[in-house]
């Protein structure tokens, strides 16, 4: 894929198909061209598919989920929204395979919804003193750094890295930890049994989430280094 991007760059800078008298400083930057190409690919895919609709509904549930946690503090209703989000997360992937309705937009919406639920939950938990602020800050900072890496990868002609199994395991643990943490905010007969399980999922999920982030960042650094080494003059 990098080689294809380099061929495009060579054709552009050599003036092939364009105006040979055009000043070099006005020629389009290949990195910007790659970013525009990726955006055009998202627009070209079908938008109105059933999996994408479920992903949009998941995203629409984020502000409702946050309001339930911080407004009336209706933890059981917030837990219900989180459960429905998990079901739709599983269902949109199944439907995309069954109906052959894959799209680049769906690939972007699905992890975006996961990240927004994680961030919304962490913000609410910090404001309600459920988890320490530094735990939430570390997890949110991880997502911010990786999000900023995406245009860097595209600039150098790479797609975002594939989801690592550690990242999947971390998200799985956190998606179990958050409902359990919500559940133990209410007093019920088994709360003392569930509380250590909730904390265990939180610790393991948080540690795996950060470790997976470090691995993703290493992939980004390696990809950028490889791209620069290929374009460096001999």
């Amino acid at each position: 894929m990098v080689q294809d991007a380099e061929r495009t760059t060579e054709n552009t800078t050599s003036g092939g198909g364009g105006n040979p008298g055009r000043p070099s400083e006005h020629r389009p930057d290949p990195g910007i061209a790659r970013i525009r190409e990726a955006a055009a690919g998202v627009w070209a895919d079908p938008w109105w598919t059933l999996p994408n609709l479920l992903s949009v509904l998941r995203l629409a549930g984020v502000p409702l989920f946050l309001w339930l946690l911080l407004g009336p503090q209706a933890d059981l209703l917030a837990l219900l929204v989180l459960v429905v989000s998990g079901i739709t997360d599983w269902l949109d992937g199944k439907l995309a395979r069954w109906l052959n309705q894959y799209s680049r937009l769906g690939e972007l919406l699905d992890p975006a919804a996961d990240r927004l639920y994680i961030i919304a939950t962490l913000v609410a938990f910090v404001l309600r003193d459920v988890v320490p602020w530094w735990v939430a800050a570390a997890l949110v900072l991880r997502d911010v750094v990786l999000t900023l890496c995406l245009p860097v990868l595209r600039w150098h002609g790479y797609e975002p890295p594939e989801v690592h199994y550690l990242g999947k395991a971390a998200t799985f643990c956190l998606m179990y930890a958050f409902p359990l943490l919500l559940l133990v905010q209410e007093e019920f007969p088994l709360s003392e049994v569930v509380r250590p399980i909730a904390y265990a999922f939180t610790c393991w999920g948080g540690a795996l989430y950060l470790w997976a982030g470090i691995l993703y960042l290493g992939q980004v650094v390696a990809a950028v280094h490889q791209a620069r080494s290929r374009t460096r003059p001999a």
Side-chain angles (χ1 to χ4, degrees), residues 1-132:
M1 180 173 59
V2 175
Q3 293 176 350
D4 292 339
E6 288 173 352
R7 293 193 195 101
T8 303
T9 304
E10 291 171 359
N11 291 336
T12 303
T13 56
S14 63
N19 185 358
R22 189 178 183 182
S24 59
E25 61 269 22
H26 295 299
R27 291 172 183 165
D29 190 285
I32 295 177
R34 292 165 190 154
I35 294 175
R36 288 175 176 171
E37 181 183 356
V42 174
W43 283 99
D45 280 341
W47 281 42
W48 296 111
T49 64
L50 189 54
N52 287 354
L53 177 60
L54 290 177
S55 295
V56 170
L57 290 177
R58 287 181 66 214
L59 286 170
V62 173
L64 173 62
F65 175 71
L66 191 58
W67 176 77
L68 289 171
L69 287 178
L70 297 179
Q73 295 190 5
D75 293 341
L76 293 180
L77 288 177
L79 178 60
L80 178 61
V81 173
L82 200 58
V83 170
V84 172
S85 169
I87 294 173
T88 56
D89 185 22
W90 170 83
L91 188 58
D92 65 11
K94 289 291 185 182
L95 289 174
R97 286 189 289 272
W98 291 341
L99 303 175
N100 194 25
Q101 291 184 342
Y102 292 101
S103 68
R104 181 60 182 153
L105 179 64
E107 292 176 356
L108 296 175
L109 288 177
D110 197 42
D114 289 339
R115 299 298 176 267
L116 285 176
Y117 271 104
I118 290 174
I119 292 173
T121 305
L122 289 172
V123 169
F125 280 1
V126 169
L127 293 176
R128 292 181 52 180
D129 295 323
V130 177
V131 298

Side-chain angles (χ1 to χ4, degrees), residues 161-177:
E162 294 184 0
V163 178
H164 197 274
Y165 73 93
L166 279 181
K168 293 181 179 180
T171 303
F172 175 83
C173 288
L174 290 178
M175 287 304 182
Y176 269 87

Side-chain angles (χ1 to χ4, degrees), residues 35 104 141-161 212-224:
I35 294 175
R104 181 60 182 153
L141 181 61
R142 179 259 198 200
D143 280 342
V144 170
V145 170
L146 293 184
T147 300
L148 294 176
C149 288
L150 296 180
V152 175
L153 283 173
R154 174 54 62 182
W155 186 276
H156 289 87
Y158 285 97
E159 294 289 335
I214 293 173
L215 294 180
Y216 288 135
L217 190 59
Q219 288 179 300
V220 172
V221 172
V224 171

Side-chain angles (χ1 to χ4, degrees), residues 184-225:
V184 297
Q185 301 308 305
E186 304 286 341
E187 292 298 330
F188 67 101
L190 295 178
S191 60
E192 294 304 318
V193 176
V194 175
R195 185 170 286 108
I197 299 175
Y199 291 153
F201 269 112
T202 303
C203 293
W204 278 107
L208 289 175
Y209 202 68
L210 293 176
W211 181 241
I214 293 173
L215 294 180
Y216 288 135
L217 190 59
Q219 288 179 300
V220 172
V221 172
V224 171
H225 178 74

